[in-house]
């Protein structure tokens, strides 16, 4: 079985074995260098995946019904979030954008299907986007539990989260990411790290990947597995 087929089978089994009553199953999927960096600095763009890993990412997109990034990624990369290097439908594009900063010219606003923007402000509007107002957390960002519940109500059952670092960290901190598919490119970037402060105290509280699986894809390494949290994880997120 090819690596692509193995990951697809594993993901289908994960989706089938883990259904939540009011939120989607969440898969974190991003690319980093061997030092954990996803960019040279926040706001700069760095293509890390090789062509095969890029195809795997597009395959993973096709296996989810929603794909979410933070507004920082939209402002830095202006991504399309479509399935172009694999077959299948593109997932619903979703942006976490508390202050409604999404540029009118963003490529996400040029698709036939409007992009969904989770925000805390009332009355925001852009052509090509649908703003969904949800509650704020204690820092004024979109509250992730409320956001996921809203997405579930709108039919999203399998959500892929592609980044960037603040969003990856927020999902891990809230214990709301269920699986991880990580591309590790053979580079040392010395830059902006994917995972920031998680509020864990000691090894026992750290999120774990288990069982961890890995395989080379060209010169990239793909690492994947389910995420597990200690009892205390996610307690501080309203
Ligand atoms: N290598 C990869 O796979 C990959 C993938 C994606 C991105 N990137 C890189 O990552 C960088 C962007 O990352 P970033 O950390 O600056 O931005 P980000 O994680 O994409 O977006 C962060 C922003 O999302 C908004 N947000 C809304 N609700 C949030 C919540 N509950 N928790 C966290 N954030 C929330 C916040 O802005 P508001 O408060 O204004 O809403 C926050 O500043 C770029 O350099 C990009 O190229 C790399």
């Amino acid at each position: 079985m090819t690596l692509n087929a193995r990951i697809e089978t594993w993901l289908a089994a994960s989706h089938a074995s883990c259904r939540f009553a009011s939120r989607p199953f969440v898969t974190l999927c991003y690319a980093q260098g061997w030092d954990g960096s996803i960019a040279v600095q926040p706001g700069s763009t760095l293509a890390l995946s090789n062509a095969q890993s890029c195809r795997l990412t597009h395959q993973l997109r096709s296996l989810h019904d929603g794909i979410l990034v933070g507004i920082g990624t939209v402002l830095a990369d202006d991504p399309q979030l479509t399935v172009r290097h694999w077959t299948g439908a593109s997932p619903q594009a979703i942006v976490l954008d508390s202050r409604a900063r999404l540029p009118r010219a963003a490529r996400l606003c040029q698709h036939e299907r409007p992009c969904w923007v989770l925000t805390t402000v009332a009355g925001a509007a852009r052509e090509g986007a649908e703003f969904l107002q949800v509650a704020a957390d204690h820092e004024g960002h979109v509250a992730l539990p409320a956001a996921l519940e809203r997405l579930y109500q709108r039919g999203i059952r399998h959500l892929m989260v592609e980044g960037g670092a603040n969003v990856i960290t927020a999902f891990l901190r809230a214990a709301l990411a269920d699986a991880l598919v990580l591309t590790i490119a053979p580079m040392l970037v010395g830059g902006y790290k994917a995972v920031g402060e998680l509020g864990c105290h000691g090894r026992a509280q750290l999120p774990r990947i288990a069982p961890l699986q890995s395989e080379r894809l060209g010169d990239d390494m793909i690492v994947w597995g389910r995420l597990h949290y200690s009892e205390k994880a996610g307690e501080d997120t309203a």
Side-chain angles (χ1 to χ4, degrees):
M1 205 191 268
T2 63
L3 174 63
N4 293 70
R6 277 179 61 202
I7 292 185
E8 182 161 342
T9 303
W10 163 79
L11 193 61
S14 300
H15 285 170
S17 69
C18 187
R19 290 202 175 89
F20 300 102
S22 60
R23 72 160 176 94
F25 183 98
V26 173
T27 310
L28 279 185
C29 179
Y30 59 93
Q32 64 174 45
W34 272 95
D35 63 334
S37 302
I38 59 169
V40 173
Q41 55 195 22
S44 68
T45 297
L46 180 65
L48 285 163
S49 303
N50 66 27
Q52 292 159 284
S53 308
C54 184
R55 274 197 297 281
L56 174 64
T57 299
H58 283 238
Q59 177 188 10
L60 289 166
R61 287 179 180 177
S62 78
L63 301 172
H64 292 81
D65 34 35
I67 182 163
L68 180 147
V69 293
I71 185 64
T73 296
V74 176
L75 296 175
D77 301 346
D78 195 14
Q80 299 187 66
L81 306 180
T82 54
V83 176
R84 304 183 299 285
H85 304 300
W86 198 259
T87 54
S90 294
Q92 172 65 51
I94 301 157
V95 183
L96 277 181
D97 181 14
S98 320
R99 292 172 282 163
R101 291 185 285 157
L102 180 73
R104 286 174 200 283
R107 292 201 286 187
L108 287 177
C109 297
Q110 317 305 320
H111 297 323
E112 212 170 285
R113 191 165 44 158
C115 147
W116 295 353
V117 185
L118 294 159
T119 188
T120 61
V121 300
R126 300 278 186 289
E127 203 172 319
E130 186 179 356
F131 283 79
L132 308 173
Q133 192 186 359
V134 293
D137 64 16
H138 62 280
E139 290 177 334
H141 296 306
V142 170
L144 293 186
L148 290 182
E149 194 173 338
R150 191 69 181 275
L151 295 178
Y152 189 89
Q153 286 162 358
R154 293 194 136 221
I156 302 295
R157 296 291 178 269
H158 305 118
L159 179 69
M160 178 160 152
V161 172
E162 273 200 21
N166 276 298
V167 166
I168 291 165
T169 302
F171 271 87
L172 289 170
R173 202 179 162 99
L176 286 171
D178 305 299
L180 174 73
V181 182
L182 180 60
T183 296
I184 306 177
M187 295 161 207
L188 296 164
V189 181
Y192 187 40
K193 303 290 185 285
V195 181
E197 169 64 47
L198 293 180
C200 296
H201 306 287
R203 184 183 164 91
Q205 285 187 14
L206 301 175
R208 295 186 72 84
I209 309 161
L212 184 145
Q213 303 179 73
S214 64
E215 195 171 313
R216 288 273 297 268
L217 190 56
D219 56 0
D220 285 353
M221 178 70 82
I222 308 298
V223 173
W224 71 98
R226 291 286 295 275
L227 287 162
H228 303 272
Y229 302 89
S230 71
E231 296 284 308
K232 286 185 73 60
E235 273 181 4
D236 63 341
T237 53

